[in-house]
């Protein structure tokens, strides 16, 4: 067992804000976003105003939980001015019960990472940035349909080393057709050896409705090599542990103390307000989603349709993505599944060599990752 076990918490919540604009929408991306080229969006000020209005409507003026994470995602939020985000963060601090140690994160693309922008974010209260690198190989980026500025990619690490914001995450993709295993390890090693505090790695997938999915169906591009992806995934944990990283979620590694607190909310069934076009939220036991269209969002207000959350099923689908030790039984309290049936499954997994379980604390063995979807389905099926 590594580190203190993750436990169920009460009284905490997060805020997610979606900024929908990018320089160019990547072919594989299934998040709501719009490519608008190099300039700023003409709708930036209107979005800021609507973010504040939506927050007030959804919180109903009675927002008692402690807000210990605010995450600005997208799209590419770094296309907006730091002044916009400063205004929004100050608004949240004035309206909500924001903790003094709140994790305040923003997603950036390498093209937008400058020391001036980072310093402005730091002055506004941001203490974490996440950079969507994906790869440093131009051939791989071109295959993904991604905008690429060689000079900005080359200057990324030197700029981050000068940043006053010390918690930095980067995203990488592996299993891209034409990307060799050696090329992926070169990407990973450059950032891990630099001591980047958080590394997320995702295997390329064909998400319905994306340009990449249509291209594969038309035989314009090849499908990901799933065998190679599995081989890489099995190797990653031991490589990164030797460099001081902890594997805390199936796709995420971090230095001690540098987990993404906001993303942990998604995996541990904690509430969060989702604000902005295309944003999803989970509040008061209900889930909702906003229209995936900025103009509809600005014109017609915010989605009010709520879908009741089934606790046991949702906990099963998210909690068991964690590879850190955690105390699972507390997350199922009040749900449909009995503790005895859960314990029976955990003990079976332990006997089969897939997990450790001492009656309270659970942790996957590394080898379980290739069968993780099957294990998750087994737990989810207990809720009927």
């Amino acid at each position: 067992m590594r580190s203190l076990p993750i436990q169920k918490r009460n009284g905490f919540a997060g805020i997610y804000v979606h900024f929908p604009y990018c320089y160019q929408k990547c072919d594989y991306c299934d998040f709501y976003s719009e490519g608008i080229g190099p300039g700023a969006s003409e709708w930036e000020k209107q979005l800021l105003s609507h973010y504040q209005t939506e927050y007030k409507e959804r919180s109903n003026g009675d927002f008692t939980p402690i807000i210990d994470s605010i995450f600005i995602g997208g799209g590419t939020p770094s296309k907006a001015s730091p002044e916009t985000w400063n205004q929004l963060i100050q608004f949240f601090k004035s309206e909500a019960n924001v903790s003094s140690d709140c994790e305040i994160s923003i997603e950036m693309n390498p093209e937008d990472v400058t020391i001036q922008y980072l310093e402005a974010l730091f002055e506004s209260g941001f203490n974490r940035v996440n950079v969507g690198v994906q790869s440093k190989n131009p051939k791989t980026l071109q295959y993904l349909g991604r905008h690429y500025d060689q000079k900005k990619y080359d200057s990324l690490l030197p700029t981050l080393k000068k940043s006053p914001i010390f918690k930095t995450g980067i995203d990488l993709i592996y299993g891209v057709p034409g990307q060799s295993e050696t090329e992926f390890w070169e990407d990973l090693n450059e950032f891990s050896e630099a001591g980047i505090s958080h590394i997320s790695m995702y295997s390329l997938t064909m998400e319905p409705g994306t340009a990449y999915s249509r291209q594969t169906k038309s035989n314009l591009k090849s499908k990901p090599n799933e065998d190679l992806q599995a081989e890489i995934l099995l190797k990653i944990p031991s490589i990164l542990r030797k460099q001081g990283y902890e594997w805390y979620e199936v796709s995420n590694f971090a230095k001690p103390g540098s987990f993404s607190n906001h993303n942990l909310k998604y995996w541990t069934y904690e509430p969060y307000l989702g604000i902005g076009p295309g944003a999803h939220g989970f509040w008061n036991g209900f889930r909702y989603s906003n229209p995936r269209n900025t103009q509809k969002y600005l014109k017609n207000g915010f989605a009010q349709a709520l879908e009741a959350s089934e606790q046991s099923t949702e906990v099963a689908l998210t909690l068991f993505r964690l590879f850190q030790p955690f105390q699972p039984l507390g997350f199922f309290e009040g749900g449909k599944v009995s503790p005895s049936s859960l314990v029976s499954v955990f003990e079976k997994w332990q006997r089969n060599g897939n997990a450790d379980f001492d009656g309270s604390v659970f942790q996957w063995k590394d080898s379980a990752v290739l069968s993780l979807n099957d294990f998750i389905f087994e737990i989810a099926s207990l809720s009927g």
Side-chain angles (χ1 to χ4, degrees), residues 8 61 88 103 106 136 149 152 155-156 166 205 244-245 249 270 292 315 323 328 339 347 350 360-361 377 379:
K8 179 176 174 57
L88 187 62
E103 176 189 87
I106 187 170
K136 291 195 71 178
D149 183 327
K152 295 300 293 185
S155 65
L156 177 60
F166 299 119
T205 57
Y245 291 88
E249 192 270 345
E270 287 192 6
R292 290 169 62 95
V315 168
F323 272 74
E347 290 177 342
Q350 178 168 251
S360 174
V361 178
F377 178 78
I379 285 291

Side-chain angles (χ1 to χ4, degrees), residues 200-222:
S200 300
M201 283 162 289
Y202 304 101
S203 58
L204 178 64
T205 57
M206 297 183 299
E207 298 299 330
T210 62
Y212 177 54
S213 179
R214 293 191 293 271
Q215 291 160 353
T216 57
K217 290 178 181 178
S218 302
N219 296 318
L220 297 174
K221 289 185 177 179
S222 301

Side-chain angles (χ1 to χ4, degrees), residues 274-301:
I275 295 172
H280 294 253
F282 172 45
W283 190 246
N284 286 332
F286 290 88
R287 295 196 180 274
Y288 64 88
S289 60
N290 283 339
R292 290 169 62 95
N293 183 297
T294 302
Q295 295 311 307
K296 286 184 179 180
Y297 173 79
L298 293 174
K299 183 178 180 180
N300 299 326

Side-chain angles (χ1 to χ4, degrees), residues 135-333:
S135 174
K136 291 195 71 178
N137 189 303
K139 176 188 64 175
T140 300
L141 294 168
Q142 183 178 11
Y143 193 92
L144 295 171
R146 188 172 181 81
H147 173 63
Y148 176 77
D149 183 327
Q150 179 74 53
K151 291 182 179 179
K152 295 300 293 185
Y153 268 69
D154 289 343
S155 65
L156 177 60
L157 277 175
T159 303
L160 291 176
K161 288 180 180 178
K162 299 176 185 176
S163 171
I165 300 175
F166 299 119
K167 288 189 176 182
T168 303
I170 59 104
D171 296 342
L172 295 175
I173 287 183
Y174 61 93
V176 180
Q179 177 195 41
S180 70
E181 186 174 352
T182 298
E183 288 170 340
F184 169 73
W185 295 125
E186 288 174 350
D187 282 339
L188 177 58
N189 289 339
E190 179 164 358
F191 291 100
S192 61
E193 290 175 359
I196 292 294
S197 59
H198 190 286
I199 301 178
S200 300
M201 283 162 289
Y202 304 101
S203 58
L204 178 64
T205 57
M206 297 183 299
E207 298 299 330
T210 62
Y212 177 54
S213 179
R214 293 191 293 271
Q215 291 160 353
T216 57
K217 290 178 181 178
S218 302
N219 296 318
L220 297 174
K221 289 185 177 179
S222 301
K223 296 180 180 180
N225 184 332
E226 294 183 356
D227 290 337
L228 179 60
Q229 289 178 337
E231 185 177 340
I232 289 174
L233 181 56
L234 284 173
K235 293 177 181 178
I236 288 172
S238 61
I239 289 172
L240 287 184
R241 283 194 189 110
K242 292 176 182 177
Q243 295 177 304
Y245 291 88
E246 295 184 68
W247 190 14
Y248 76 100
E249 192 270 345
V250 64
S251 300
N252 289 274
F253 297 77
K255 296 284 189 177
S258 294
F259 296 174
S260 169
N261 293 332
H262 187 83
N263 285 344
L264 277 172
K265 293 186 183 299
Y266 301 150
W267 303 317
T268 58
Y269 203 65
E270 287 192 6
Y272 62 94
L273 280 183
I275 295 172
H280 294 253
F282 172 45
W283 190 246
N284 286 332
F286 290 88
R287 295 196 180 274
Y288 64 88
S289 60
N290 283 339
R292 290 169 62 95
N293 183 297
T294 302
Q295 295 311 307
K296 286 184 179 180
Y297 173 79
L298 293 174
K299 183 178 180 180
N300 299 326
F302 325 116
Q304 299 301 320
L306 301 176
E307 181 180 345
S309 167
E310 204 299 293
Q311 177 185 344
S312 297
T313 301
E314 292 203 24
V315 168
L317 293 174
T318 57
L319 185 68
F320 289 89
R321 292 176 57 88
L322 295 176
F323 272 74
Q324 280 294 108
F326 60 92
Q327 295 181 323
L329 298 180
F331 291 93
F332 287 90
E333 287 179 357

Side-chain angles (χ1 to χ4, degrees), residues 67-89:
I67 302 301
D68 63 347
S69 75
I70 300 171
F71 193 101
I72 314 295
T76 308
S78 52
K79 277 192 68 65
S81 70
E83 291 77 20
T84 290
W85 301 128
N86 177 57
Q87 291 181 56
L88 187 62
I89 296 303

